[in-house]
Amino acid sequence: MQNFSKEELISQIKDLQEQLQKIKKQKKYGIVWEEKAENIDKNKLPMLEEDKELRIENDKNKPQNLIIEWDNFHALSVLQNTHKGKVDVIYIDPPYNTGDKDFIYNDDYVDKEDTYRHSKWLSFMQKRLVLAKNLLKNDWVIFISIDEHEMFNLKLLCDEIFGEKNFIENFIWHKNSTKNLSKTTSTNHEYILCYALNKEIVLTKNFFREGKKWYHEVMSLVQNLKNQNFQPKEAEKELKNFYKNNPDLKWISMYNMIDENWNIFTSSDASAPKSTWVWNTYDVIHPVTGKVCKLPSTWWRYTFDTMQEHLKNWNILFWKDETTVPRFKRKLENVETEVKKSIIMEFSDWKKDLQKIFEVSPFDNPKPEKLIKNILSTFWKDIFVIDFFAGSGTTGHAVMELNKEDWWNRQFILCSNRENTKENPEKNICRDITYERNKRVIQGYTNAKWEQIKGLGGNLRYYKTTFINKNPSIDDLHYSFIHKCDDLLCIKENTFTKVSFGEEIEEIKIFHNKNHFTVILYDMLYFAKAKEILELFPDKKISFYAFSMSKTMIAEEIAHIWKNIVLENIPDEILETYEKIFVL
């Protein structure tokens, strides 16, 4: 038996006490993995710089959609400055970590034989999901596509980050294709985990119901009008006023008809039927037999006004896709109100989404456009969507298609990278696929059959990577930010149109949208000139950014011009954000 001195025994006891304290601090339940360091250069602070040659702008009053070419960790770091607490919905399709060259970590593919395969994936995802959580509004949600390889690890990770109580659903979507897992089984489904930042608030907003919010509110109003013995024509006027006073319902362009039997219909002026094909697209219940059938094809001879009279006796059903805007009259009381099902519809030939645009699909397993539309159409407002694993750009395509269908103004940011691996150092997925797909969707393109596909219109801006080196001197670090904050602040304030005010002064930058101005002052020597320019816009909301100045030093100076001015100092607010992420 080995003899120990008194000092050695005391030292060993201390070591045991320290180990015991560490054990006590360890999680009692949850997911544990060995943290694998990621090659993120913390001496470089990320910024954004627009590639103006790739800008597409069709309507300055419409949303400005963005694509960011970057490693998504850096992209999410920048978005902490611009979109913290501003995002409605996040949808991501991260690498599934199958071991078949689908997951890159530290510039190398992770294969099935890698001992730390799952630890690397969890380390990778944890960093990004923590940053993504900060972007969500308090009452909105995140969707994450995954398959069986990391499904159960991801569920535990999300329970830890978002809270188990904020789990919404594990949606299962059915594919019309299978993959063999063994000699006994094959799968034809994948998963979409959904979490809320605050589930209780989400539930009060009545999301995840296939019946639209407007249905419940309209029917409640109609019942009240009936109880008050309103006549149909009077009720119709009240219904129209209801739409006008509730723009969130997004039915301002709809007109309504209430017949003598209190049958209520909605229809859009813009999509009134113009040809015979419209009639054959609707299932109806025959007023005599009660059986489901198609509208009579001979009805195309009738005028639109005559059609209104005929439809009083026909119970027109909704299409299976509850989320689309009705092209013609449908009875409101037939809208389904059941909750959204956890099994999502089957999708077939979904690889053809890309084949139609690129002729040869650049990805083997892109997500179906209809799948993303199915998810996003759950929500009944102009949502802001972010996808920071946007390889094929399906999310942007789906958002624009939905906007085309119902005239809303959803907006998106897609983050994609170059896939800088040793095998493909020059491959640029973001530029050649993500951007190119959405560009063609906006501008139109010729498909594989040489058919001309009309563009959907819209706006798109493309941003690239730029870095600021972290210097020992804080003054040098501040100086390196001069004239590099324009793009970042324009994105933050959603003001992209530059204001020209005669003499061009590099130290003063002003951008605007129809309601809002952003002023960036890089040199306080030009403060008097900035005040002079501000006086030209006394009735506008203004965000004023002054370089390296305290807010209190300029607050009193400009308060008399317009009270609706938000003051910020740069780059301090940007550096404070990065300090939390990169530990300056």
Side-chain angles (χ1 to χ4, degrees):
M1 181 176 177
Q2 185 176 356
N3 294 321
F4 294 97
S5 66
K6 179 178 179 180
E7 290 76 14
E8 289 175 330
L9 287 171
I10 292 174
S11 176
Q12 288 189 20
I13 290 172
K14 286 182 177 179
D15 288 341
L16 290 171
Q17 287 176 332
E18 289 178 1
Q19 292 181 36
L20 182 61
Q21 289 299 317
K22 288 181 181 179
I23 292 173
K24 287 181 178 180
K25 290 180 181 179
Q26 286 180 355
K27 290 189 298 183
K28 301 299 185 295
Y29 173 79
I31 188 168
V32 178
W33 69 92
E34 184 170 347
E35 179 70 27
K36 303 304 293 182
E38 189 172 354
N39 292 341
I40 298 173
D41 191 344
K42 295 184 178 181
N43 291 312
K44 291 185 176 181
L45 306 180
M47 296 291 285
L48 290 174
E49 184 176 346
E50 185 185 2
D51 187 336
K52 294 181 174 62
E53 293 184 359
L54 301 181
R55 181 189 300 175
I56 302 171
E57 194 163 43
N58 294 310
D59 187 346
K60 292 181 180 180
N61 293 323
K62 291 291 185 179
Q64 296 286 340
N65 300 306
L66 313 180
I67 292 180
I68 301 175
E69 177 191 306
W70 231 339
D71 171 272
N72 52 24
F73 180 82
H74 288 126
L76 288 167
S77 300
V78 171
L79 293 175
Q80 305 298 299
N81 281 305
T82 62
H83 285 82
K84 187 174 183 178
K86 294 182 179 180
V87 177
D88 298 309
V89 177
I90 296 175
Y91 169 80
I92 56 173
D93 182 19
Y96 286 4
N97 198 20
T98 63
D100 293 328
K101 293 191 174 182
D102 70 317
F103 174 42
I104 300 171
Y105 198 76
N106 291 342
D107 202 32
D108 272 323
Y109 288 109
V110 177
D111 60 37
K112 293 179 180 179
E113 306 305 318
D114 193 319
T115 306
Y116 299 104
R117 171 182 159 198
H118 297 291
S119 290
K120 288 179 178 178
W121 190 87
L122 286 165
S123 300
F124 175 84
M125 290 299 297
Q126 190 267 348
K127 293 184 182 71
R128 286 152 180 81
L129 289 177
V130 167
L131 293 179
K133 179 183 177 182
N134 294 334
L135 303 181
L136 280 175
K137 290 180 181 177
N138 194 39
D139 53 351
W140 287 86
V141 295
I142 181 171
F143 295 89
I144 310 173
S145 283
I146 200 68
D147 74 355
E148 67 282 349
H149 289 89
E150 295 288 0
M151 163 65 192
F152 306 102
N153 287 332
L154 179 63
K155 175 67 171 64
L156 287 172
L157 179 63
C158 287
D159 283 347
E160 184 176 288
I161 294 172
F162 298 101
E164 187 176 358
K165 66 179 181 180
N166 290 318
F167 171 67
I168 297 287
E169 184 57 83
N170 174 27
F171 293 103
I172 299 174
W173 68 280
H174 183 201
K175 304 186 298 182
N176 193 28
S177 62
T178 60
K179 56 182 178 181
N180 291 324
L181 299 180
S182 70
K183 294 180 180 180
T184 58
T185 62
S186 63
T187 59
N188 62 350
H189 66 275
E190 291 182 8
Y191 310 96
I192 300 177
L193 282 178
C194 179
Y195 279 80
L197 202 59
N198 191 319
K199 184 176 179 178
E200 292 303 315
I201 298 179
V202 169
L203 292 179
T204 62
K205 288 183 172 290
N206 200 31
F207 294 153
F208 300 100
R209 299 191 71 86
E210 293 186 338
K212 295 289 189 180
K213 181 191 177 197
W214 59 267
Y215 166 75
H216 304 284
E217 302 215 7
V218 169
M219 295 310 295
S220 177
L221 171 64
V222 169
Q223 189 59 51
N224 289 335
L225 295 175
K226 280 187 176 183
N227 294 340
Q228 298 174 49
N229 296 319
F230 272 72
Q231 294 301 309
K233 290 296 181 184
E234 295 173 332
E236 185 175 337
K237 290 181 181 178
E238 291 294 320
L239 200 54
K240 288 181 179 179
N241 289 331
F242 176 76
Y243 285 137
K244 289 179 181 178
N245 295 328
N246 290 274
D248 282 346
L249 297 183
K250 277 299 180 186
W251 292 87
I252 300 173
S253 64
M254 310 298 288
Y255 68 82
N256 309 276
M257 181 184 73
I258 299 179
D259 67 15
E260 297 299 323
N261 296 318
W262 281 84
N263 288 319
I264 307 153
F265 301 97
T266 64
S267 179
S268 165
D269 294 307
S271 59
K274 299 293 193 300
S275 61
T276 57
W277 70 268
V278 176
W279 309 123
N280 294 325
T281 57
Y282 293 99
D283 290 332
V284 299
I285 295 178
H286 195 282
V288 178
T289 66
K291 294 182 178 180
V292 175
C293 62
K294 298 291 183 182
L295 277 170
S297 60
T298 55
W299 279 22
W300 68 270
R301 299 191 183 96
Y302 297 127
T303 64
F304 185 65
D305 291 335
T306 307
M307 193 60 59
Q308 292 183 3
E309 297 301 318
H310 282 280
L311 286 171
K312 289 180 182 179
N313 297 320
W314 290 72
N315 187 4
I316 299 185
L317 305 177
F318 271 72
W319 284 347
K320 290 181 180 179
D321 184 358
E322 248 332 284
T323 62
T324 57
V325 172
R327 293 172 183 262
F328 200 54
K329 300 187 180 303
R330 303 169 181 181
K331 280 191 176 180
L332 293 182
E333 53 259 55
N334 288 315
V335 181
E336 294 182 10
T337 59
E338 60 187 272
V339 296
K340 191 176 184 67
K341 296 179 177 65
S342 62
I343 305 294
I344 303 179
M345 70 180 76
E346 178 177 326
F347 298 96
S348 60
D349 298 325
W350 33 276
K351 192 173 179 180
K352 289 184 178 179
D353 287 348
L354 281 183
Q355 290 174 337
K356 292 175 183 176
I357 300 174
F358 290 103
E359 190 169 340
V360 177
S361 176
F363 285 99
D364 291 330
N365 296 294
K367 286 297 173 290
E369 177 198 328
K370 289 182 179 179
L371 173 65
I372 311 303
K373 286 172 65 176
N374 180 284
I375 292 171
L376 299 181
S377 60
T378 301
F379 310 104
W380 45 264
K381 63 174 288 186
D382 290 337
I383 57 175
F384 194 101
V385 184
I386 284 184
D387 179 353
F388 53 89
F389 282 98
S392 64
T394 305
T395 301
H397 190 169
V399 166
M400 290 187 285
E401 284 285 356
L402 283 173
N403 285 343
K404 172 191 173 184
E405 291 176 6
D406 56 25
W407 311 297
W408 292 6
N409 289 308
R410 301 171 186 84
Q411 189 174 1
F412 65 81
I413 293 180
L414 308 181
C415 304
S416 185
N417 62 24
R418 296 179 59 96
E419 197 181 50
N420 288 325
T421 65
K422 294 176 182 178
E423 296 178 8
N424 298 300
E426 300 301 322
K427 188 174 182 179
N428 193 333
I429 292 175
C430 187
R431 173 64 182 83
D432 299 331
I433 301 174
T434 316
Y435 170 80
E436 187 62 30
R437 175 184 187 172
N438 284 276
K439 171 189 172 183
R440 296 185 188 188
V441 170
I442 291 172
Q443 296 183 335
Y445 59 95
T446 303
N447 65 16
K449 297 180 180 179
W450 295 97
E451 298 171 331
Q452 294 295 321
I453 307 301
K454 186 178 179 181
L456 300 180
N459 305 311
L460 188 63
R461 291 171 180 264
Y462 191 95
Y463 291 86
K464 290 185 176 181
T465 307
T466 181
F467 290 98
I468 291 175
N469 289 321
K470 190 168 60 175
N471 297 315
S473 167
I474 191 66
D475 290 334
D476 290 341
L477 181 58
H478 276 225
Y479 186 79
S480 64
F481 274 85
I482 291 182
H483 302 308
K484 291 186 178 179
C485 298
D486 296 9
D487 288 318
L488 198 69
L489 297 179
C490 285
I491 292 172
K492 178 179 179 179
E493 300 294 341
N494 201 30
T495 51
F496 294 93
T497 303
K498 191 173 182 180
V499 176
S500 298
F501 43 87
E503 179 186 1
E504 189 73 19
I505 301 175
E506 190 67 20
E507 285 71 23
I508 304 174
K509 301 287 181 64
I510 301 180
F511 303 87
H512 77 99
N513 58 33
K514 62 181 180 180
N515 301 315
H516 185 192
F517 281 75
T518 300
V519 180
I520 308 171
L521 179 63
Y522 283 108
D523 191 332
M524 285 303 294
L525 293 175
Y526 292 86
F527 180 61
K529 182 64 177 178
K531 281 176 55 181
E532 181 183 325
I533 296 170
L534 283 175
E535 289 171 350
L536 300 175
F537 312 106
D539 300 324
K540 297 293 184 180
K541 177 183 176 183
I542 297 174
S543 296
F544 190 101
Y545 291 86
F547 192 81
S548 295
M549 295 297 296
S550 170
K551 294 181 185 180
T552 56
M553 295 179 65
I554 57 175
E556 295 181 0
E557 291 288 336
I558 65 174
H560 71 281
I561 302 173
W562 183 240
K563 293 182 179 180
N564 196 19
I565 291 183
V566 178
L567 299 172
E568 301 287 351
N569 60 309
I570 52 174
D572 288 346
E573 63 162 10
I574 299 172
L575 289 171
E576 287 173 8
T577 300
Y578 287 152
E579 185 174 4
K580 297 174 183 177
I581 301 171
F582 295 98
V583 190
L584 296 179

